[in-house]
Amino acid sequence: AIPTLLDRLPDRPVMLTGAALLPVGLLAAAGAIALPASGVQWVMLLLVWLLLGAASSLILTPSARLLRRASNEGSRPAVFAAQFSLSHACFMLTYPTAGTLGALLGLPATALILSAVGTFGAATAGLTWIRRS
């Protein structure tokens, strides 16, 4: 569905919508995790998982288009390699942080902290991404 959406909308609003939805999904995850274990909790967690997956796809699907537009044939391998390296460096920081915080503070508190990190990231992207008409 996202390629069809990208035929109608520019990359920037699609990606920023995904960036805004991720912290909302993490807040919802904190609430769902805090529920007593039940069928309701499982349904809530599945809905949160759907929201987080959709939001991630809104960000990740257009990213290759942006990298292609920001590079030429000669620089494209280096640009994609740099993006891969940067994204994985971020994973190397955030995944262990999430696991450690989850073990120390519990999952609801960790989801709230990660929501704040996501909000910071989304706000930074929205403020620093240069608009071109």
Side-chain angles (χ1 to χ4, degrees):
I2 293 176
T4 303
L5 180 67
L6 291 169
D7 287 340
R8 297 185 191 136
L9 297 171
D11 296 344
R12 186 178 195 277
V14 171
M15 294 178 81
L16 291 177
T17 298
L21 287 174
L22 279 173
V24 171
L26 289 168
L27 287 174
I33 294 166
L35 291 172
S38 66
V40 172
Q41 184 191 40
W42 279 107
V43 169
M44 293 298 299
L45 288 171
L46 287 173
L47 291 173
V48 166
W49 191 13
L50 177 70
L51 173 64
L52 292 172
S56 295
S57 293
L58 287 171
I59 296 168
L60 296 174
T61 301
S63 65
R65 291 166 31 132
L66 292 177
L67 294 173
R68 270 194 315 266
R69 279 198 298 265
S71 62
N72 58 42
E73 195 67 34
S75 66
R76 195 156 295 139
V79 168
F80 274 86
Q83 189 278 336
F84 180 86
S85 297
L86 180 60
S87 67
H88 284 71
C90 292
F91 296 153
M92 278 183 25
L93 295 172
T94 55
Y95 281 23
T97 300
T100 301
L101 290 175
L104 294 175
L105 304 176
L107 296 180
T110 301
L112 291 174
I113 292 167
L114 293 176
S115 179
V117 171
T119 299
F120 175 76
T124 301
L127 293 171
T128 61
W129 190 342
I130 298 169
R131 293 178 198 215
R132 293 200 164 90
S133 32

